[in-house]
Amino acid sequence: MASTLKLAFVGCGAIARYHLKGIKESVPRIDVTAVIDIDFKRAKAFAYETGGQPFASLEEALEKGDFDAVDIMLPHDLHESATSECFLAGKHVLLEKPMAPSVEGCNRILNSAREAGIVFMVAENSQYWPEILKAKEVVESGAIGDVITARAAFVYEFDEYWFKEDKPWRFEKKRTGGGITIDGGSHWIRPLRLWMGEIDEVVATIGHPLKQMEGESLTRALLRFRSGKIAIFDAMMVDTVFAPEPWWRITGTQGEIIIDGGFEGGIRLFNQENREGKLLMEPQGYSKSFGPELVNFSEAILDDKVLQASPEQSLGELRTALAIYRSAESHLWEKVWD
């Protein structure tokens, strides 16, 4: 069995920088041997940094490149076609979320992955976010008693880092499948599912304060879980200055857990013994989730280890986003899984 995984980056945009940082910090068993981007200058820049061979197309890379697996970091509307090419070539696939903009597209991808008999993983990095995992540990320990409710607040100031292109694809609804809920919102919905179980139904409203984005840039939603418990999901991206607020709050019968807002991280416990808040771990933050994610992917291929989350798990975030969109139109509670 191979000791090193030869990996191709498919797409060298903003998120590729986080993936590469995670590999450099935590995954010595991955060797980036190919980098692919239609912007060949960007591919060559990543090639210079990684030592991988640059390509301007996936088709050319599959024909001439030397790699066992791909890390697909493309706009949502390209996910299905790119995975199909890679499955046919027998490559293992790590695919950025969402798997596809529609449930039908996801089902086609899942069926193709099963037929190919390869390792297929959807890259939902909040599954590996240190603060999220610590909160799960604390909840399960009973430190805040029984969970009553929670709030996820995906709220941050408009950041041009994610919109560098002349015509940013994230502004186009037909490319994303929606707006911020179907895109970054998944990072806030997955933790709620980890802590509180499966979501049953939602009621929501959406808005468009960021005028250059065709999809929604504001969401207010209530999520009802199969347990009957309720959580709040807020999402907002506006070109303004926001006051500080937690990105997550989990309320129990004996206390609360707060995960601080901002990408730098931090988690605190509030209970009878810690009314001022106890720091539960040194802040790790968003960027520290990518290394463990890529470790899990590489070990599934090299060591036949089980993925921490199956690709089917990511359907929960997509279905929740789509139910939010339906509710915004119907003004009614909408089922997530029906």
Short mmCIF file of all heavy atoms in Angstrom, two decimals, residues 132-185:
data_model
loop_
_atom_site.label_atom_id
_atom_site.label_comp_id
_atom_site.label_asym_id
_atom_site.label_seq_id
_atom_site.Cartn_x
_atom_site.Cartn_y
_atom_site.Cartn_z
N ILE A 132 -15.77 23.41 17.44
CA ILE A 132 -17.03 22.67 17.26
C ILE A 132 -16.95 21.32 17.95
O ILE A 132 -17.88 20.89 18.64
CB ILE A 132 -17.32 22.48 15.75
CG1 ILE A 132 -17.40 23.83 15.02
CG2 ILE A 132 -18.60 21.68 15.55
CD1 ILE A 132 -18.39 24.80 15.57
N LEU A 133 -15.82 20.63 17.76
CA LEU A 133 -15.64 19.31 18.36
C LEU A 133 -15.55 19.41 19.88
O LEU A 133 -16.05 18.53 20.60
CB LEU A 133 -14.39 18.64 17.79
CG LEU A 133 -14.43 18.38 16.28
CD1 LEU A 133 -13.14 17.71 15.83
CD2 LEU A 133 -15.64 17.52 15.91
N LYS A 134 -14.91 20.46 20.37
CA LYS A 134 -14.83 20.66 21.82
C LYS A 134 -16.22 20.90 22.39
O LYS A 134 -16.58 20.37 23.46
CB LYS A 134 -13.91 21.84 22.15
CG LYS A 134 -13.70 22.05 23.64
CD LYS A 134 -12.97 20.88 24.28
CE LYS A 134 -12.68 21.13 25.75
NZ LYS A 134 -11.97 19.97 26.38
N ALA A 135 -17.04 21.68 21.71
CA ALA A 135 -18.41 21.93 22.16
C ALA A 135 -19.20 20.63 22.20
O ALA A 135 -19.97 20.38 23.16
CB ALA A 135 -19.10 22.94 21.24
N LYS A 136 -19.03 19.77 21.21
CA LYS A 136 -19.71 18.47 21.21
C LYS A 136 -19.30 17.64 22.41
O LYS A 136 -20.14 17.02 23.08
CB LYS A 136 -19.40 17.73 19.91
CG LYS A 136 -20.18 16.44 19.70
CD LYS A 136 -19.89 15.85 18.32
CE LYS A 136 -20.82 14.68 17.99
NZ LYS A 136 -20.59 13.53 18.86
N GLU A 137 -18.02 17.64 22.70
CA GLU A 137 -17.50 16.91 23.86
C GLU A 137 -18.11 17.44 25.16
O GLU A 137 -18.51 16.67 26.03
CB GLU A 137 -15.97 17.06 23.89
CG GLU A 137 -15.28 16.46 25.10
CD GLU A 137 -13.81 16.82 25.13
OE1 GLU A 137 -13.16 16.77 24.06
OE2 GLU A 137 -13.31 17.17 26.21
N VAL A 138 -18.19 18.76 25.28
CA VAL A 138 -18.73 19.37 26.50
C VAL A 138 -20.22 19.09 26.63
O VAL A 138 -20.71 18.77 27.72
CB VAL A 138 -18.45 20.89 26.51
CG1 VAL A 138 -19.12 21.55 27.71
CG2 VAL A 138 -16.95 21.14 26.53
N VAL A 139 -20.96 19.20 25.53
CA VAL A 139 -22.39 18.89 25.56
C VAL A 139 -22.60 17.45 26.01
O VAL A 139 -23.43 17.16 26.89
CB VAL A 139 -23.02 19.13 24.17
CG1 VAL A 139 -24.41 18.49 24.09
CG2 VAL A 139 -23.11 20.62 23.88
N GLU A 140 -21.85 16.53 25.43
CA GLU A 140 -22.02 15.11 25.75
C GLU A 140 -21.57 14.77 27.16
O GLU A 140 -22.03 13.78 27.74
CB GLU A 140 -21.27 14.27 24.72
CG GLU A 140 -21.91 14.33 23.33
CD GLU A 140 -21.12 13.60 22.26
OE1 GLU A 140 -19.97 13.18 22.55
OE2 GLU A 140 -21.65 13.43 21.14
N SER A 141 -20.70 15.61 27.74
CA SER A 141 -20.26 15.38 29.12
C SER A 141 -21.33 15.77 30.14
O SER A 141 -21.22 15.41 31.32
CB SER A 141 -19.00 16.20 29.40
OG SER A 141 -19.30 17.58 29.58
N GLY A 142 -22.34 16.53 29.70
CA GLY A 142 -23.40 16.99 30.60
C GLY A 142 -23.06 18.26 31.36
O GLY A 142 -23.78 18.65 32.28
N ALA A 143 -21.99 18.94 30.97
CA ALA A 143 -21.53 20.12 31.70
C ALA A 143 -22.54 21.27 31.68
O ALA A 143 -22.52 22.12 32.58
CB ALA A 143 -20.19 20.60 31.14
N ILE A 144 -23.42 21.32 30.66
CA ILE A 144 -24.45 22.36 30.63
C ILE A 144 -25.84 21.74 30.81
O ILE A 144 -26.86 22.38 30.52
CB ILE A 144 -24.39 23.22 29.35
CG1 ILE A 144 -24.64 22.37 28.09
CG2 ILE A 144 -23.08 23.96 29.26
CD1 ILE A 144 -24.85 23.20 26.83
N GLY A 145 -25.89 20.50 31.28
CA GLY A 145 -27.18 19.83 31.47
C GLY A 145 -27.77 19.41 30.13
O GLY A 145 -27.04 19.14 29.17
N ASP A 146 -29.08 19.36 30.08
CA ASP A 146 -29.76 19.02 28.83
C ASP A 146 -29.83 20.26 27.94
O ASP A 146 -30.17 21.35 28.40
CB ASP A 146 -31.18 18.53 29.11
CG ASP A 146 -31.19 17.21 29.88
OD1 ASP A 146 -30.24 16.43 29.70
OD2 ASP A 146 -32.13 17.00 30.67
N VAL A 147 -29.53 20.07 26.66
CA VAL A 147 -29.59 21.20 25.72
C VAL A 147 -31.04 21.64 25.55
O VAL A 147 -31.94 20.81 25.30
CB VAL A 147 -28.99 20.81 24.36
CG1 VAL A 147 -29.22 21.92 23.34
CG2 VAL A 147 -27.50 20.52 24.50
N ILE A 148 -31.27 22.94 25.70
CA ILE A 148 -32.60 23.52 25.51
C ILE A 148 -32.74 24.06 24.10
O ILE A 148 -33.71 23.77 23.39
CB ILE A 148 -32.84 24.67 26.53
CG1 ILE A 148 -32.80 24.13 27.96
CG2 ILE A 148 -34.18 25.35 26.24
CD1 ILE A 148 -32.80 25.23 29.00
N THR A 149 -31.75 24.85 23.69
CA THR A 149 -31.81 25.49 22.38
C THR A 149 -30.41 25.92 21.99
O THR A 149 -29.45 25.78 22.77
CB THR A 149 -32.76 26.70 22.40
OG1 THR A 149 -32.96 27.18 21.06
CG2 THR A 149 -32.21 27.83 23.26
N ALA A 150 -30.25 26.42 20.77
CA ALA A 150 -28.96 26.91 20.30
C ALA A 150 -29.19 27.98 19.25
O ALA A 150 -30.29 28.12 18.71
CB ALA A 150 -28.12 25.77 19.72
N ARG A 151 -28.13 28.74 18.98
CA ARG A 151 -28.18 29.73 17.91
C ARG A 151 -26.88 29.68 17.12
O ARG A 151 -25.79 29.64 17.72
CB ARG A 151 -28.37 31.14 18.46
CG ARG A 151 -28.45 32.19 17.33
CD ARG A 151 -28.42 33.61 17.83
NE ARG A 151 -28.54 34.55 16.72
CZ ARG A 151 -27.85 35.70 16.61
NH1 ARG A 151 -27.00 36.04 17.54
NH2 ARG A 151 -28.01 36.48 15.57
N ALA A 152 -27.00 29.65 15.82
CA ALA A 152 -25.85 29.75 14.92
C ALA A 152 -25.97 31.07 14.18
O ALA A 152 -26.99 31.33 13.53
CB ALA A 152 -25.83 28.59 13.94
N ALA A 153 -24.94 31.90 14.25
CA ALA A 153 -24.98 33.23 13.64
C ALA A 153 -23.84 33.36 12.64
O ALA A 153 -22.71 33.70 12.98
CB ALA A 153 -24.87 34.31 14.71
N PHE A 154 -24.15 33.05 11.39
CA PHE A 154 -23.19 33.19 10.29
C PHE A 154 -23.26 34.64 9.82
O PHE A 154 -23.90 34.97 8.83
CB PHE A 154 -23.57 32.19 9.20
CG PHE A 154 -22.84 32.35 7.89
CD1 PHE A 154 -21.50 32.68 7.86
CD2 PHE A 154 -23.49 32.15 6.68
CE1 PHE A 154 -20.82 32.82 6.65
CE2 PHE A 154 -22.83 32.27 5.47
CZ PHE A 154 -21.49 32.61 5.46
N VAL A 155 -22.61 35.50 10.57
CA VAL A 155 -22.73 36.94 10.35
C VAL A 155 -21.32 37.53 10.26
O VAL A 155 -20.55 37.46 11.22
CB VAL A 155 -23.50 37.62 11.51
CG1 VAL A 155 -23.52 39.12 11.33
CG2 VAL A 155 -24.92 37.07 11.59
N TYR A 156 -20.97 38.07 9.09
CA TYR A 156 -19.69 38.75 9.01
C TYR A 156 -19.70 39.79 7.90
O TYR A 156 -20.48 39.71 6.95
CB TYR A 156 -18.54 37.75 8.84
CG TYR A 156 -18.44 37.05 7.52
CD1 TYR A 156 -17.55 37.50 6.54
CD2 TYR A 156 -19.20 35.93 7.24
CE1 TYR A 156 -17.42 36.83 5.33
CE2 TYR A 156 -19.09 35.26 6.04
CZ TYR A 156 -18.20 35.71 5.09
OH TYR A 156 -18.08 35.05 3.91
N GLU A 157 -18.82 40.74 8.05
CA GLU A 157 -18.73 41.85 7.11
C GLU A 157 -18.29 41.36 5.74
O GLU A 157 -17.46 40.45 5.62
CB GLU A 157 -17.72 42.86 7.65
CG GLU A 157 -17.56 44.12 6.83
CD GLU A 157 -16.59 45.10 7.45
OE1 GLU A 157 -16.20 44.90 8.62
OE2 GLU A 157 -16.20 46.06 6.76
N PHE A 158 -18.86 41.92 4.70
CA PHE A 158 -18.48 41.58 3.32
C PHE A 158 -16.97 41.66 3.18
O PHE A 158 -16.34 42.65 3.54
CB PHE A 158 -19.15 42.55 2.35
CG PHE A 158 -18.70 42.39 0.93
CD1 PHE A 158 -19.05 41.27 0.20
CD2 PHE A 158 -17.90 43.35 0.32
CE1 PHE A 158 -18.63 41.12 -1.12
CE2 PHE A 158 -17.49 43.21 -0.99
CZ PHE A 158 -17.86 42.09 -1.71
N ASP A 159 -16.38 40.57 2.66
CA ASP A 159 -14.93 40.44 2.58
C ASP A 159 -14.55 40.15 1.14
O ASP A 159 -14.88 39.09 0.60
CB ASP A 159 -14.47 39.30 3.50
CG ASP A 159 -12.95 39.18 3.56
OD1 ASP A 159 -12.26 39.86 2.78
OD2 ASP A 159 -12.47 38.38 4.39
N GLU A 160 -13.83 41.05 0.50
CA GLU A 160 -13.47 40.90 -0.91
C GLU A 160 -12.50 39.75 -1.15
O GLU A 160 -12.29 39.35 -2.30
CB GLU A 160 -12.88 42.20 -1.45
CG GLU A 160 -13.92 43.32 -1.55
CD GLU A 160 -13.36 44.57 -2.22
OE1 GLU A 160 -12.14 44.60 -2.50
OE2 GLU A 160 -14.14 45.51 -2.46
N TYR A 161 -11.95 39.15 -0.08
CA TYR A 161 -11.04 38.01 -0.25
C TYR A 161 -11.72 36.88 -1.01
O TYR A 161 -11.09 36.18 -1.77
CB TYR A 161 -10.59 37.51 1.13
CG TYR A 161 -9.67 36.31 1.07
CD1 TYR A 161 -8.32 36.47 0.77
CD2 TYR A 161 -10.15 35.02 1.30
CE1 TYR A 161 -7.47 35.37 0.70
CE2 TYR A 161 -9.30 33.92 1.23
CZ TYR A 161 -7.97 34.10 0.94
OH TYR A 161 -7.14 33.02 0.87
N TRP A 162 -13.04 36.72 -0.77
CA TRP A 162 -13.78 35.63 -1.39
C TRP A 162 -14.39 36.02 -2.74
O TRP A 162 -15.05 35.22 -3.39
CB TRP A 162 -14.90 35.16 -0.46
CG TRP A 162 -14.38 34.69 0.86
CD1 TRP A 162 -14.38 35.38 2.04
CD2 TRP A 162 -13.76 33.43 1.14
NE1 TRP A 162 -13.80 34.62 3.02
CE2 TRP A 162 -13.41 33.43 2.51
CE3 TRP A 162 -13.47 32.30 0.36
CZ2 TRP A 162 -12.78 32.34 3.12
CZ3 TRP A 162 -12.84 31.22 0.96
CH2 TRP A 162 -12.51 31.25 2.32
N PHE A 163 -14.16 37.25 -3.18
CA PHE A 163 -14.81 37.76 -4.39
C PHE A 163 -13.80 38.47 -5.28
O PHE A 163 -14.03 39.59 -5.73
CB PHE A 163 -15.94 38.71 -4.01
CG PHE A 163 -16.99 38.10 -3.13
CD1 PHE A 163 -16.86 38.15 -1.75
CD2 PHE A 163 -18.10 37.47 -3.67
CE1 PHE A 163 -17.82 37.58 -0.93
CE2 PHE A 163 -19.06 36.91 -2.85
CZ PHE A 163 -18.93 36.96 -1.47
N LYS A 164 -12.67 37.81 -5.54
CA LYS A 164 -11.56 38.47 -6.23
C LYS A 164 -11.74 38.54 -7.74
O LYS A 164 -11.13 39.37 -8.40
CB LYS A 164 -10.26 37.74 -5.91
CG LYS A 164 -9.80 37.92 -4.46
CD LYS A 164 -8.48 37.18 -4.22
CE LYS A 164 -7.99 37.40 -2.81
NZ LYS A 164 -6.70 36.68 -2.55
N GLU A 165 -12.55 37.64 -8.32
CA GLU A 165 -12.68 37.60 -9.77
C GLU A 165 -13.32 38.87 -10.32
O GLU A 165 -14.01 39.60 -9.60
CB GLU A 165 -13.53 36.40 -10.19
CG GLU A 165 -12.94 35.05 -9.82
CD GLU A 165 -13.42 34.57 -8.46
OE1 GLU A 165 -13.97 35.41 -7.71
OE2 GLU A 165 -13.24 33.38 -8.16
N ASP A 166 -13.09 39.14 -11.61
CA ASP A 166 -13.71 40.29 -12.25
C ASP A 166 -15.24 40.18 -12.17
O ASP A 166 -15.94 41.18 -11.98
CB ASP A 166 -13.27 40.40 -13.71
CG ASP A 166 -11.80 40.75 -13.84
OD1 ASP A 166 -11.26 41.35 -12.89
OD2 ASP A 166 -11.20 40.43 -14.87
N LYS A 167 -15.73 38.95 -12.35
CA LYS A 167 -17.15 38.68 -12.21
C LYS A 167 -17.30 37.52 -11.22
O LYS A 167 -17.33 36.35 -11.61
CB LYS A 167 -17.79 38.31 -13.56
CG LYS A 167 -19.31 38.16 -13.49
CD LYS A 167 -19.88 37.84 -14.86
CE LYS A 167 -21.41 37.71 -14.79
NZ LYS A 167 -21.99 37.34 -16.11
N PRO A 168 -17.36 37.81 -9.92
CA PRO A 168 -17.36 36.75 -8.91
C PRO A 168 -18.52 35.78 -9.10
O PRO A 168 -19.68 36.19 -9.19
CB PRO A 168 -17.49 37.52 -7.59
CG PRO A 168 -16.97 38.89 -7.89
CD PRO A 168 -17.38 39.14 -9.30
N TRP A 169 -18.20 34.49 -9.17
CA TRP A 169 -19.25 33.49 -9.39
C TRP A 169 -20.21 33.42 -8.21
O TRP A 169 -21.38 33.07 -8.39
CB TRP A 169 -18.63 32.12 -9.69
CG TRP A 169 -17.82 31.51 -8.59
CD1 TRP A 169 -16.48 31.65 -8.38
CD2 TRP A 169 -18.30 30.66 -7.53
NE1 TRP A 169 -16.09 30.95 -7.27
CE2 TRP A 169 -17.18 30.33 -6.74
CE3 TRP A 169 -19.56 30.17 -7.19
CZ2 TRP A 169 -17.29 29.50 -5.62
CZ3 TRP A 169 -19.67 29.34 -6.08
CH2 TRP A 169 -18.54 29.03 -5.30
N ARG A 170 -19.77 33.77 -7.03
CA ARG A 170 -20.66 33.72 -5.86
C ARG A 170 -21.78 34.76 -5.93
O ARG A 170 -22.73 34.68 -5.17
CB ARG A 170 -19.86 33.89 -4.57
CG ARG A 170 -19.18 32.62 -4.11
CD ARG A 170 -18.58 32.78 -2.71
NE ARG A 170 -18.28 31.50 -2.12
CZ ARG A 170 -17.11 30.87 -2.20
NH1 ARG A 170 -16.13 31.44 -2.89
NH2 ARG A 170 -16.93 29.70 -1.62
N PHE A 171 -21.66 35.74 -6.82
CA PHE A 171 -22.73 36.71 -7.01
C PHE A 171 -23.84 36.18 -7.90
O PHE A 171 -24.91 36.78 -7.98
CB PHE A 171 -22.18 38.00 -7.62
CG PHE A 171 -21.37 38.85 -6.68
CD1 PHE A 171 -20.56 39.88 -7.16
CD2 PHE A 171 -21.41 38.65 -5.30
CE1 PHE A 171 -19.82 40.68 -6.31
CE2 PHE A 171 -20.67 39.43 -4.44
CZ PHE A 171 -19.88 40.45 -4.94
N GLU A 172 -23.59 35.06 -8.62
CA GLU A 172 -24.54 34.55 -9.61
C GLU A 172 -25.35 33.39 -9.04
O GLU A 172 -24.80 32.33 -8.75
CB GLU A 172 -23.79 34.09 -10.86
CG GLU A 172 -23.02 35.19 -11.56
CD GLU A 172 -22.33 34.69 -12.81
OE1 GLU A 172 -23.06 34.27 -13.75
OE2 GLU A 172 -21.09 34.70 -12.86
N LYS A 173 -26.63 33.59 -8.91
CA LYS A 173 -27.51 32.57 -8.31
C LYS A 173 -27.49 31.27 -9.09
O LYS A 173 -27.55 30.18 -8.50
CB LYS A 173 -28.94 33.13 -8.21
CG LYS A 173 -29.89 32.27 -7.42
CD LYS A 173 -31.24 32.95 -7.27
CE LYS A 173 -32.22 32.08 -6.51
NZ LYS A 173 -33.54 32.76 -6.35
N LYS A 174 -27.42 31.34 -10.40
CA LYS A 174 -27.44 30.12 -11.21
C LYS A 174 -26.19 29.28 -10.99
O LYS A 174 -26.17 28.07 -11.26
CB LYS A 174 -27.59 30.46 -12.69
CG LYS A 174 -26.42 31.19 -13.31
CD LYS A 174 -26.66 31.49 -14.78
CE LYS A 174 -25.46 32.22 -15.39
NZ LYS A 174 -25.67 32.56 -16.81
N ARG A 175 -25.11 29.90 -10.51
CA ARG A 175 -23.87 29.18 -10.26
C ARG A 175 -23.82 28.61 -8.84
O ARG A 175 -23.30 27.52 -8.61
CB ARG A 175 -22.65 30.08 -10.50
CG ARG A 175 -22.64 30.72 -11.89
CD ARG A 175 -21.24 30.92 -12.40
NE ARG A 175 -20.62 29.62 -12.68
CZ ARG A 175 -19.34 29.48 -13.01
NH1 ARG A 175 -18.56 30.55 -13.10
NH2 ARG A 175 -18.84 28.29 -13.27
N THR A 176 -24.34 29.36 -7.88
CA THR A 176 -24.28 28.92 -6.49
C THR A 176 -25.46 28.05 -6.09
O THR A 176 -25.37 27.22 -5.19
CB THR A 176 -24.26 30.13 -5.54
OG1 THR A 176 -25.46 30.89 -5.72
CG2 THR A 176 -23.04 31.01 -5.80
N GLY A 177 -26.62 28.25 -6.76
CA GLY A 177 -27.85 27.59 -6.34
C GLY A 177 -28.64 28.40 -5.35
O GLY A 177 -29.71 27.99 -4.90
N GLY A 178 -28.14 29.58 -5.00
CA GLY A 178 -28.82 30.45 -4.03
C GLY A 178 -27.88 31.56 -3.62
O GLY A 178 -27.26 32.21 -4.46
N GLY A 179 -27.78 31.76 -2.30
CA GLY A 179 -26.89 32.79 -1.77
C GLY A 179 -26.04 32.24 -0.65
O GLY A 179 -25.53 31.12 -0.72
N ILE A 180 -25.93 33.01 0.44
CA ILE A 180 -25.00 32.63 1.50
C ILE A 180 -25.46 31.41 2.29
O ILE A 180 -24.64 30.72 2.90
CB ILE A 180 -24.73 33.81 2.46
CG1 ILE A 180 -26.02 34.30 3.13
CG2 ILE A 180 -24.06 34.95 1.72
CD1 ILE A 180 -25.77 35.35 4.20
N THR A 181 -26.76 31.10 2.28
CA THR A 181 -27.24 29.94 3.05
C THR A 181 -26.73 28.64 2.47
O THR A 181 -26.24 27.77 3.20
CB THR A 181 -28.77 29.94 3.09
OG1 THR A 181 -29.24 31.19 3.58
CG2 THR A 181 -29.29 28.83 3.99
N ILE A 182 -26.83 28.46 1.17
CA ILE A 182 -26.40 27.22 0.52
C ILE A 182 -24.88 27.14 0.45
O ILE A 182 -24.32 26.05 0.30
CB ILE A 182 -27.01 27.11 -0.89
CG1 ILE A 182 -26.98 25.66 -1.40
CG2 ILE A 182 -26.31 28.05 -1.86
CD1 ILE A 182 -27.73 25.44 -2.69
N ASP A 183 -24.21 28.26 0.59
CA ASP A 183 -22.76 28.30 0.48
C ASP A 183 -22.13 28.20 1.87
O ASP A 183 -22.06 27.14 2.46
CB ASP A 183 -22.33 29.56 -0.27
CG ASP A 183 -20.86 29.59 -0.62
OD1 ASP A 183 -20.19 28.55 -0.50
OD2 ASP A 183 -20.36 30.65 -1.04
N GLY A 184 -21.73 29.30 2.44
CA GLY A 184 -21.06 29.27 3.74
C GLY A 184 -21.95 28.86 4.89
O GLY A 184 -21.46 28.42 5.94
N GLY A 185 -23.25 28.98 4.73
CA GLY A 185 -24.17 28.62 5.80
C GLY A 185 -24.04 27.19 6.27
O GLY A 185 -24.36 26.86 7.42
#
